């Protein structure tokens, strides 16, 4: 944790900020280890404070031993009062805050408490940018979450029957993940059968899986706060020639994109490797979402692997980034196919972390 805080301090120094207020749950956990539902951090050039209430007194001491506790008491010592207290003690006259995460009401309360003593300075993506490069502890958690996800898919997929509903299949997957040590699913599991497979974020319902139809399964296990993300498309019974043809296009698009991943390549260039292949096959209008996204403490985080406007560019990939690659083709009157794996950018190229079997 100390290395993460030191990296934030270096980023703050570059922006001439003596301190920062952090409240976004994933950013707070990344910097301090604190997993409680309520709390704030104040990080300065040489001090680190955690602000939370009595419910988390013992938990914060256990999870965040390098952070000094300032206990929120309501009424009496609200978060803005403690922020004012810290700024006054340390002579802080400029305080960064997370513009994308702090509400207008919270900002107003902190600004009112500080008055003219300290200026609130908006920042965007400071901690999120640090989180894009995964350290060894994060990679270990991600590998475990992905391994559970792979194991569950390969265990549950053969058990699926045509009379199972989408909801039943989703529950079978979630139950199996929890039995193997996941704290929960990373997100609401997607099982879309038949025409529902054409809806990328379909919510499972009472639709039977059926025979000979596309079934998109998007799933992931959560381990130590870190998310896995895996999509496989299956058919119960024999797939027809149309399924085979479209599946092969999506699979080849994924292979092309993964093969191109290396440090220095721009995110939109990776997207184009898959998107151009799908477009050349005549299905460009059937692939509307970005190719991938980072995964970690959030199921969707940086880097974003997607197209950009003409003349624009995207960020270059760096070693230590972890991203999904998930091309798809969605046809409203037929169904859909998506294949997704999690990929680590390495010093010399990439490593595919997902291992679950695919149709051949």
């Amino acid at each position: 944790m100390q290395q993460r805080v030191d990296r934030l301090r270096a980023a703050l120094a570059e922006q001439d900020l003596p301190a920062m207020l952090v409240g976004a749950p994933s950013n707070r956990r990344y910097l301090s280890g604190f997993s409680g539902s309520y709390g704030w951090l104040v990080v300065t050039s040489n001090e680190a404070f955690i602000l939370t209430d009595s419910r988390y007194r013992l938990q914060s001491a256990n999870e965040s031993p390098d952070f000094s506790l300032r206990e929120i008491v309501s009424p009496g010592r609200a978060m803005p009062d403690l922020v004012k207290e810290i700024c006054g003690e340390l002579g802080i006259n400029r305080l960064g805050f997370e513009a994308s995460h702090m509400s207008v009401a919270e900002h107003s309360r902190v600004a009112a408490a500080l008055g003219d003593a300290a200026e609130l300075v908006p920042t965007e993506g400071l901690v999120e940018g640090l989180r894009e490069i995964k350290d060894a502890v994060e990679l270990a958690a991600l590998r475990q979450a992905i391994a559970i996800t792979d194991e569950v898919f390969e265990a549950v997929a053969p058990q699926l029957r045509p009379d199972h509903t989408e909801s039943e299949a989703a529950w079978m997957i979630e139950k199996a993940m929890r039995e193997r040590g996941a704290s929960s699913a990373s997100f609401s599991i997607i099982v879309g059968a038949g025409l529902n497979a054409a809806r990328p974020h379909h919510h499972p319902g009472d639709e039977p899986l059926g025979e000979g139809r596309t079934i998109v399964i998007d799933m992931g296990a959560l381990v130590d706060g870190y998310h896995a993300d895996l999509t496989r498309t299956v058919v119960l019974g024999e797939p027809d020639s149309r399924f085979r043809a479209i599946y092969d296009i999506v699979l080849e698009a994924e292979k092309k994109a993964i093969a191109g991943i290396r440090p220095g390549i721009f995110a939109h260039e990776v997207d184009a490797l898959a998107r151009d292949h799908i477009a050349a096959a005549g299905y460009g209008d059937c692939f509307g979402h970005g190719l991938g996204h980072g995964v970690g403490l959030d199921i969707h985080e940086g880097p974003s692997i997607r197209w950009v406007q003409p003349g624009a560019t995207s960020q270059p990939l760096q070693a230590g980034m972890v991203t999904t690659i998930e091309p798809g083709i969605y046809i409203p009157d037929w169904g859909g196919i998506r294949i997704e794996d999690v990929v680590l950018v390495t010093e010399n190229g990439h490593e595919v972390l997902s291992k679950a079997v695919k149709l051949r």
Side-chain angles (χ1 to χ4, degrees):
M1 294 297 172
Q2 187 58 51
Q3 290 181 341
R4 300 177 187 178
V5 174
D6 288 343
R7 291 171 64 208
L8 175 61
R9 285 173 172 150
L12 292 175
E14 290 178 2
Q15 300 200 16
D16 193 28
L17 280 173
M20 183 169 178
L21 178 63
V22 178
S26 294
N27 291 343
R28 186 180 64 222
R29 182 168 184 170
Y30 174 78
L31 292 169
S32 70
F34 178 62
S35 62
S37 64
Y38 177 68
W40 301 77
L41 307 179
V42 176
V43 177
T44 77
S45 59
N46 50 24
E47 300 281 353
F49 301 88
I50 183 164
L51 286 52
T52 189
D53 60 42
S54 61
R55 295 173 298 170
Y56 298 113
R57 185 183 301 149
L58 298 179
Q59 181 176 338
S60 64
N62 180 59
E63 294 181 336
S64 310
D66 296 328
F67 282 69
S68 300
L69 173 64
R70 294 292 174 95
E71 192 166 305
I72 295 170
V73 180
S74 182
R77 287 167 59 83
M79 180 270 287
D81 301 320
L82 298 179
V83 172
K84 177 184 178 181
E85 180 181 286
I86 292 168
C87 289
E89 288 176 9
L90 302 179
I92 295 169
N93 59 8
R94 300 180 76 238
L95 179 66
F97 72 93
E98 300 170 296
S100 298
H101 301 293
M102 178 177 274
S103 71
V104 173
E106 289 165 342
H107 181 275
S108 297
R109 287 193 288 267
V110 176
L114 292 174
D116 296 332
E119 175 191 4
L120 279 175
V121 181
T123 70
E124 289 196 39
L126 274 187
V127 182
E128 290 88 342
L130 303 179
R131 287 171 45 201
E132 289 185 358
I133 307 297
K134 302 299 187 285
D135 60 33
V137 173
E138 294 181 287
L139 287 175
L142 281 167
R143 289 181 187 277
Q144 186 178 357
I146 292 166
I148 289 174
T149 304
D150 288 340
E151 182 181 338
V152 167
F153 174 79
E154 295 194 355
V156 172
Q159 301 177 31
L160 297 177
R161 304 191 309 265
D163 61 328
H164 279 139
T165 66
E166 296 168 337
S167 293
E168 288 171 334
W171 172 242
M172 291 167 66
I173 291 167
E174 182 166 356
K175 180 173 179 290
M177 288 194 294
R178 288 180 176 270
E179 289 172 344
R180 287 164 174 78
S183 55
S184 70
S186 288
F187 49 88
S188 295
I189 294 167
I190 297 168
V191 179
L195 298 183
N196 291 336
R199 302 168 63 182
H201 279 186
H202 174 67
H203 295 287
D206 295 329
E207 179 73 19
L209 300 181
E211 262 189 87
R213 304 197 299 169
T214 63
I215 306 167
V216 172
I217 300 173
D218 194 342
M219 55 187 281
L222 183 68
V223 174
D224 292 336
Y226 284 82
H227 299 74
D229 199 356
L230 176 81
T231 304
R232 293 291 185 262
T233 302
V234 301
V235 171
L236 301 184
E238 283 298 315
D240 61 20
S241 59
R242 188 179 189 186
F243 175 92
R244 287 288 187 187
I246 296 175
Y247 188 95
D248 287 347
I249 294 168
V250 175
L251 182 60
E252 185 62 23
E254 191 203 30
K255 288 179 178 178
K256 285 179 177 291
I258 291 175
I261 292 177
R262 63 186 185 278
I265 191 171
F266 287 94
H268 72 278
E269 294 176 328
V270 179
D271 180 277
L273 291 171
R275 195 169 304 279
D276 290 351
H277 179 76
I278 290 174
Y283 291 97
D285 292 339
C286 301
F287 177 30
H289 58 72
L291 180 65
H293 55 85
V295 288
L297 285 169
D298 289 320
I299 186 60
H300 291 95
E301 57 183 48
S304 178
I305 312 296
R306 59 186 300 113
W307 67 91
V308 295
Q309 295 297 324
T313 190
S314 59
Q315 70 184 115
L317 300 188
Q318 301 177 57
M321 288 181 169
V322 177
T323 182
T324 67
I325 298 296
E326 47 183 302
I329 291 176
Y330 310 95
I331 303 172
D333 62 355
W334 177 73
I337 292 173
R338 181 167 69 254
I339 304 170
E340 175 186 27
D341 289 295
V342 179
V343 182
L344 167 66
V345 185
T346 65
E347 294 289 347
N348 299 313
H350 63 269
E351 177 188 352
V352 181
L353 302 181
S354 308
K355 307 298 183 186
V357 67
K358 301 171 187 174
L359 296 179
R360 300 299 180 188

